[in-house]
Amino acid sequence: MARKMLKDGEPDLNKGAEEGTNFDFDLFIIGAGSGGVRAARFSSNHGAKVAICELPFHPISSETIGGVGGTCVIRGCVPKKILVYGASYGGDLEDARNFGWELSENIDFNWKKLLQKKTDEINRLNGIYKRLLSNAGVKLFEGEGKIAGPHEVEVTQLDGTKLSYSAKHILIATGSRAQRPNIPGQELGITSDEALSLEEFPKRVVILGGGYIAVEFASIWRGMGANVNLVFRKELPLRGFDDEMRAVVARNLEGRGINLHPRTNLTQLIKTEDGIKVTTDHGEELIADVVLFATGRAPNSKRLNLEKAGVEVDKTGAIVVNEYSCTNIPSIWAVGDVTNRMNLTPVALMEASHFANTVFGGKTQKPDYRDIPYAVFSIPPLSVVGLSEEEAVEQTNGDLLVFTSTFNPMKNTISGRQEKTVMKIVVDAQTDKVLGASMCGPDAPEIVQGIAIALKCGATKAQFDSTVGIHPSAAEEFVTMRSVTRRVTGSAKPKTNL
Amino acid sequence: MKQAAMATSLSLSCSSPLLTRNTLFFTKTFSFSRSFSLSPPLSTKTLISQSPPRRTFAVRAESQNGVDPTGHYDFDLFTIGAGSGGVRASRFAANFGANAAICELPFSTISSDTTGGVGGTCVIRGCVPKKLLVYASKFSHEFEESNGFGWRYDSEPKHDWSSLIANKNAELQRLTGIYKNILKNSNVKLIEGRGKIVDPHTVDVDGKLYTAKHILVSVGGRPFIPDIPGKEYAIDSDAALDLPSKPEKIAIVGGGYIALEFAGIFNGLKSDVHVFIRQKQVLRGFDEEIRDFVAENMALRGIEFHTEESPVAITKAADGSLSLKTSKGTVDGFSHIMFATGRKPNTKNLGLESVGVKIAKDGSIEVDEYSQTSVPSIWAIGDATNRINLTPVALMEGVALTKTLFQNEPTKPDYRAVPAAVFSQPPIGGVGFTEEQAVEQDGDVDIYTANFRPLKATLSGLPDRVFMKLIVSAKTNEVLGLHMCGDDAPEIVQGFAVAIKAGLTKADFDATVGIHPTAAEEFVTMRTPTRKIRKSLDSQGKPDSEAKAVAGT
C-alpha cells in the first residue's frame, strides 16, 4: 500500500510486517470485552480477517475465567445498573406514600430472584455479543491468549491443547480486575465481582474504598435495606471529582442512611460466629456479613507473556501505548482498561473504533480524551463532563465564573424527601466557554449526555442561556442559571464549603 | 413595522378613558371583522360600562394620574396577569430600575373571568400540578416494574386520591405564596383584582385607575369546551386537576398533549380510560413516528383509543353515569367526561378592542416580533398571544420585553429550536424540526432512528420500549431535529437542545463519548441512517456512497 509520508508520531502500519508474509489473520485480539469486540467488528467491517480469543464465561473473573462481553457486560456496568434499578425502588416506595399510595406493611425484597434475573440477562447479553462477532465474520476462540512473538498468538484451550496463530496485528484488550488490600484476614472480604453474585443478601455490610464502585455498592445495598458502613481514607468520597460535588454525594449517602467513616482504613478482618469482625485504624469494631474491597483495579497484563515479547508495561502493570494505542512493538496494540488511560466502556469503544479506522480503515485517528462525560450510579447519581472547578483553576490562568444551583426536586415537594439536587457549571470568564458541568440528583447521567455535546463543541454560557428550558424538568436548570455564584481568579483557591 | 404600528395607534389612542359602546363599534369596524366572534359577548355582558364613571373620577382625583400634563405615570410598567410571563416581566423590569405593578385575580384552582391567582396556569392549573399528578400516577408502573426486580407486596398498593389532592393543593398554596414573595422582594406592587385597559396608558382594577407608561397584557389562556348538548356535564383540565374523587371510568376527548397527559395520569391511578380523538393519530404537529409510537405504548398500558370519533352530545343517565355520543356511536357508563379540546386566550372583557388593540380570529392578541400590540404602549406576551404556548417561552418573551423597554436593548424572542415535552407515560421530548418539517424546509435529510427495549424493561418484563430519532441535513450535516419517546425523555432532551440551538452537526454528536449505561447515549452512537430522503434527483446518486461513510463500519 502506497502511503504518504508519515507525520510525526503517526503509526507506520507496515513496520515490522515483512512484505509478502502470509499471516493466518490480519488481526488477532486477546480479550472480547467492550474494546475487543468493537475492534473486532469494526476491523472486520473494514475488510480485515479477524480472530478474537476470550476466557470461558463466569460471573466471577480470575486468571482463567472471563467471558465474551467482558467486565462491562458480565461484572460491571450492566449488572451494576440492574442492581441500582432494583435498589432504587426502596426509595420509590418511601416516596410513594405522600403521593397517596397505601402500601402493605410487609414489603419483601427477594435478592435471590433479582440475582437470578440478573444472571439470565447477563447470559442473554453474552450470547448477543457472541452473535455480534459471528455475524461480523470474526473467528472466536475460547481459551487463554498469550503473545508468542510480534506476530504470534498462542491460545491455550479449555482442554489444555494449544493453538498458535500468526497475525499482522495483535490487539490486547484484556481489561482489568478488582484488587484486594494486603491486610490480615483479607481472604474474608470480597471484590465487586462476587458482590454482583452473592448467594445471600447481606444485611450488614462494610465497604472499604471511596471510589465510584464503593459508592455505588453502598447505594445498592442500602436501597435494598442493608445496614451499610462506608470506610474511606480521604475526607470525602470520589477523589478526583469536583470537591463541591463530592460533598453533595457524601451528604446524600448519609441522608439515605449510609454510615460514612471518612479518614479511616481497615486494619484487619476476623471471622466470628456473628459475622466478620472488622477493625478500623481508629480502633472501631464493626460486624458485617459481607466486607467489600473497592480499593482499585489492576490491568490484566501479567499472564500475557509481555516481557518476553518485549512489550513495555508501566509500574501499575498497564501496557504503555502511544496516542494511536500502539505499544512499543509496532505490530502490537492495546486498548481499554489494560492501558489504564480512562477506564470507561465508551472510552474503550472509542479507542477500539479509532484503532480499527487507523489500522484497517485508512483513516488515521487519535482518540480524543477531552470532555468525556461519565457518571457514578449512586442513589441519587452524579454525572460530570469537562473540568472540575479545581481542574479549571489549575488548567486556566484566567478568571472563572462558577454557577451553582441547589434545589428541591419537584417530586420531593410532595414526597417530603430531604434531598437537594445540585448542578454546577464552570465558565471561563474571558471566553465565556463552559469548561465543566456537573450534576448530582435523579436522572443526572441521562441529563448530562446532551450537555456533553455542547461542551465538546466549545459551547459558551451565552449559548446555554439562549436555549429555552423544558418545563417542568430538573434539566432546565442547566439553561437557566442566571447569577454567578462566585468568581474565582486564577491564583485563588476555590472557595467551597469544605 | 414599528412605525406603522405607531401610526395606527395615534388615531386610536385619542379615545377617551371613559369607554362607551361607540368605541367598541369603532374598533370593530377597524379590525377587519376579526372581532366578529368577540363583540357579541362583549356587548351583551356590557362589562366595560359596568364600572361607573363616578367612581373612576373619584379615584382619579386621588391618584392624580393619567391626565398629568408632565407625562408622569404611576408606573413604568403595569402588567395584567401574574402568571409565568407577567411575574417574570415585572420582576425583571423592577430589577432594571422600572417602577412596576401587576394585577391578578383572586386565587382558585379553577380559572374563570373572576378567578386566577398569582403564579398563573403553570403553577396553579398547568405544569406543576399536572407533573405532581404524573409523579403520583407513575408509581403504579414502578410497583409493577419492581416485581421484576424482586419486590413483593402483601397486598396490591391502593391509591387514596383525596390525600394526593390535599398534598398537591398544599404545595400550590406554598408556591403561590412564593410567587407573591418574589414580587414583593423585587419591589413589584401587586394589586388583587381584575385589570381592564381603559386607555393606552390606563388600567382599571376593580374601579381604581392606574396609569403606566407601558401596559403588559399577560393574561394567559383557558380551557375551551365546544358547544355540544350536555357540555355542562363535561369537565376541563382545571377541574380534572382538582376533582373531589378519582374517576372510575373517564372519557377524555382530544388528542393533544393535555389529553394524553391526563390519560396517563388516570390510567396510572387505575381508572378505566378512554380517549376519543377526531383524527387517526394523536398529537397533531408532532413527528409522525413519535405520534404512532406514543399511542401504541399508551395502549399497551391499558388506555383505549377511539380514533376518528368526534363528540356529538353528552347525556346523563338516571344512575348519574354519563354517556358520550360520538360521530360513530355511544359509549356509556362514564363517571367523568373530560374535554381537552384546546385552550383560548383570556382576552375577553379586557378593554383591548376599545383601545384599538388588534385581536386575531382565535382571540389572541396580535403582536409584532417585540411583543408590541397595535397600540404602541401596550404589549402582550405568553398564551394570550398564542405564539408557542409554553411557560419557558413566556419567560423568554418576558425577559426580551424588559430588555427592550428598560435596558435600551431591543430584543426579539428567538423561537428557533424551542424544546418541548409531553408528560405522557411514556413521556416525549423533542427539539427542532419534525421529519415532515425538515423534508419540507430542507429537502434532503438523513433520518436516524433507534427503537429498543431499555435495560430496565428486560428485567421488569414489561413491554416498555424507547424510540429515538435524529433528523440531519444531508447538505450541512446539521442536526435539524431530535425526538424521543420513553422514560426520562424530557430530562434527556434538554441538554441536546443546547447542542441543536448551537447548530451542531451529526459529526459533533458522533465525536461525543457516551455515558454508559444510559438511554441518552444512544443519541451519540447512531451510526447508520435508517433512511435517506432526497427531494432533488440530483443528489440521489450521492447518498449511497455517503451512507457507507456514515456507517463507518
Side-chain angles (χ1 to χ4, degrees), chain A residues 32-340:
Chain A
S34 304
V37 170
R38 169 62 60 93
R41 286 175 51 214
F42 276 39
S43 299
S44 183
N45 285 340
H46 284 312
K49 190 180 173 197
V50 182
I52 193 166
C53 72
E54 176 58 63
L55 298 167
F57 172 84
H58 191 274
I60 296 166
S61 64
S62 73
E63 303 285 8
T64 53
I65 294 290
V68 173
T71 303
C72 170
V73 174
I74 303 169
R75 54 193 90 80
C77 321
V78 175
K80 171 267 298 281
K81 184 100 191 257
I82 289 173
L83 296 191
V84 169
Y85 278 137
S88 57
Y89 294 109
D92 288 347
L93 296 179
E94 292 168 15
D95 292 344
R97 296 180 201 270
N98 277 343
F99 280 97
W101 288 97
E102 291 158 7
L103 299 163
S104 52
E105 284 298 306
N106 270 329
I107 297 171
D108 173 54
F109 171 68
N110 187 334
W111 169 262
K112 280 188 178 154
K113 181 179 170 188
L114 177 57
L115 256 274
Q116 184 52 52
K117 295 193 74 166
K118 181 224 64 168
T119 305
D120 292 346
E121 174 63 8
I122 302 309
N123 286 336
R124 190 180 73 88
L125 291 174
N126 175 252
I128 286 178
Y129 270 78
K130 283 184 178 168
R131 264 205 306 285
L132 275 178
L133 289 172
S134 66
N135 290 346
V138 175
K139 172 92 180 128
L140 171 65
F141 295 97
E142 197 169 69
E144 187 181 6
K146 284 188 197 323
I147 310 275
H151 296 283
E152 190 84 13
V153 174
E154 185 187 88
V155 181
T156 309
Q157 292 182 291
L158 293 184
D159 59 7
T161 56
K162 287 183 179 176
L163 305 168
S164 188
Y165 293 101
S166 65
K168 189 172 180 197
H169 299 279
I170 296 171
L171 177 67
I172 303 169
T174 49
S176 63
R177 238 178 25 248
Q179 294 303 295
R180 291 157 170 278
N182 193 12
I183 57 169
Q186 59 91 0
E187 69 282 356
L188 298 171
I190 61 170
T191 70
S192 56
D193 282 9
E194 294 88 357
L196 290 164
S197 296
L198 286 177
E199 292 277 315
E200 296 291 333
F201 178 70
K203 291 206 172 65
R204 302 164 299 175
V205 184
V206 172
I207 300 172
L208 175 62
Y212 77 97
I213 298 174
V215 165
E216 289 176 344
F217 276 98
S219 289
I220 287 169
W221 283 322
R222 181 62 204 140
M224 294 168 177
N227 177 293
V228 178
N229 287 287
L230 183 62
V231 177
F232 47 95
R233 284 190 315 187
K234 299 282 171 182
E235 176 70 34
L236 289 168
L238 297 177
R239 189 162 59 95
F241 283 77
D242 187 286
D243 280 345
E244 201 173 8
M245 301 311 284
R246 295 170 69 191
V248 173
V249 171
R251 197 161 62 226
N252 289 344
L253 293 176
E254 266 186 325
R256 297 259 177 169
I258 294 162
N259 308 310
L260 302 189
H261 303 262
R263 287 176 316 230
T264 305
N265 215 332
L266 299 187
T267 50
Q268 68 169 357
L269 275 54
I270 298 170
K271 196 172 183 174
T272 72
E273 296 222 326
D274 188 33
I276 305 165
K277 191 171 84 180
V278 181
T279 313
T280 73
D281 56 358
H282 299 320
E284 201 181 345
E285 287 183 354
L286 303 160
I287 298 288
D289 302 312
V290 156
V291 179
L292 169 67
F293 298 125
T295 44
R297 299 174 63 85
N300 284 330
S301 59
K302 282 199 187 116
R303 288 160 59 104
L304 290 167
N305 204 21
L306 294 176
E307 300 76 13
K308 206 176 146 201
V311 176
E312 200 185 323
V313 172
D314 75 8
K315 261 186 287 183
T316 66
I319 295 175
V320 180
V321 290
N322 69 11
E323 288 172 302
Y324 298 93
S325 301
C326 192
T327 70
N328 59 313
I329 310 285
S331 60
I332 302 183
W333 310 70
V335 296
D337 288 9
V338 76
T339 62
N340 196 23

Side-chain angles (χ1 to χ4, degrees), chain B residues 225-235 314 339:
Chain B
I225 297 183
D227 201 7
I228 59 163
K231 68 177 266 195
E232 64 274 17
Y233 301 122
I235 57 169
I314 301 171
F339 273 69

